[in-house]
Amino acid sequence: MRFVFGILLGACSAAANPFPGPQTTWKGFDRFDFAVAGREAWVVVPAEAAPGNPWIWRARFWGHEPQTDIALLERGFHVAYCDVADMFGAPPAVEIWNTFYAKMTDEHGLAPKVALEGLSRGGLIIYNWAKANPEKVACIYADAPVCDIKSWPRDHSGPANWAKCLAIYGLTEGEEETFTGNPIDGLDVLVAAGVPLLHVVGEADKVVPVAENTAVLAARYRALGGSIEIISKPGVGHHPHSLEDPTPIVEFILRHTSSTER
């Protein structure tokens, strides 16, 4: 029995399969760059993977306020990135992320449930991918996230971003008023899957106003019976993201990945 248990423990603690592409370093950790579905992607590898190969998948603004990513690397998480910039979380971006997820889990042995991290407009892709794949999500950490395209890019960006957003969603001007493909919509699937949420926001954010984004999503999520924590930063605008001491973010992610099915 002890011999069998030892084999099983060793299997659960095995490192992920090697990653392709050129190897460099990022913050003292090995980084591998490659392409997925024609988009740039990379993975940063911990010195020693934690049991089950947990990972956090970051959306947008790689390297900005990286303290959470670094802290998780130090705890044995892989940190992954797949660039879907200027796709506004639309279905084509979700499809690219589906391909990336399959590569990370099927080919490289990362955990079947992933922690999602989205800064600003990264909120669009993490929520839309999560709603399409609720069973694959351990938890969501969103930082000053865009939760409604009517707020950003329509009302708080320039006409160029709004035109790109309409085009990739296949919408015409005015159709956004009845559009139901925003992060604030269809949250019941995440509640049913028991996905916990954490939002970190600046109370004085004028780029992605809390009242138009996080507040709406939080009210709807709670009304459906879902769990969401909000850390508000008084007097802070859209920047800086994250927290100077990322401990509350890191503890949230660790709490919701430690029991994740491997």
Side-chain angles (χ1 to χ4, degrees):
M1 177 65 72
R2 289 180 179 176
F3 178 71
V4 172
F5 177 76
I7 292 175
L8 291 174
L9 181 60
C12 290
S13 302
N17 295 332
F19 294 92
Q23 178 180 342
T24 56
T25 60
W26 185 78
K27 307 298 182 182
F29 296 91
D30 291 339
R31 168 176 159 168
F32 296 87
D33 288 62
F34 46 92
V36 172
R39 309 289 293 197
E40 291 183 337
W42 51 82
V43 174
V44 182
V45 179
E48 182 177 351
N53 295 323
W55 56 304
I56 184 165
W57 189 355
R58 178 163 175 154
R60 295 294 284 144
F61 308 110
W62 174 264
H64 177 67
E65 300 289 347
Q67 48 268 41
T68 296
D69 298 335
I70 295 169
L72 290 171
L73 280 163
E74 292 170 346
R75 288 161 174 78
F77 276 62
H78 288 70
V79 179
Y81 184 86
C82 180
D83 178 39
V84 287
D86 296 327
M87 299 184 78
F88 303 92
V94 171
E95 286 302 314
I96 292 169
W97 267 38
N98 286 342
T99 301
F100 182 84
Y101 172 87
K103 185 176 183 68
M104 292 301 99
T105 55
D106 297 344
E107 295 183 24
H108 298 289
L110 297 190
K113 287 194 174 184
V114 58
L116 298 177
E117 174 186 10
L119 274 66
S120 191
R121 71 190 75 177
L124 293 171
I125 181 60
I126 60 170
Y127 271 106
N128 286 347
W129 187 83
K131 288 187 294 180
N133 299 275
E135 75 286 354
K136 299 170 183 174
V137 182
C139 59
I140 292 175
Y141 154 49
D143 201 297
V146 175
C147 303
D148 186 344
I149 61 171
K150 294 190 299 298
S151 176
W152 193 99
R154 189 190 71 178
D155 292 348
H156 300 287
S157 184
N161 275 332
W162 181 229
K164 290 178 185 177
C165 184
L166 288 174
I168 198 162
Y169 275 103
L171 300 173
T172 57
E173 193 78 45
E175 288 183 330
E176 74 276 5
E177 294 294 345
T178 56
F179 177 62
T180 57
N182 283 296
I184 59 173
D185 302 311
L187 293 166
D188 55 306
V189 294
L190 296 182
V191 173
V195 178
L197 315 180
L198 170 65
H199 282 211
V200 176
V201 298
E203 291 182 1
D205 193 339
K206 295 181 180 179
V207 178
V208 182
V210 175
E212 300 170 6
N213 292 275
T214 287
V216 176
L217 187 146
R220 293 184 180 185
Y221 209 65
R222 287 169 177 157
L224 291 166
S227 172
I228 178 170
E229 301 175 34
I230 301 175
I231 298 175
S232 296
K233 299 180 287 187
V236 176
H238 193 59
H239 294 282
H241 290 290
S242 190
L243 301 172
E244 185 173 346
D245 176 2
T247 298
I249 302 169
V250 173
E251 288 182 345
F252 168 84
I253 293 167
L254 292 175
R255 187 163 66 248
H256 295 293
T257 54
S258 61
S259 61
T260 297
E261 182 180 345
R262 306 301 186 193

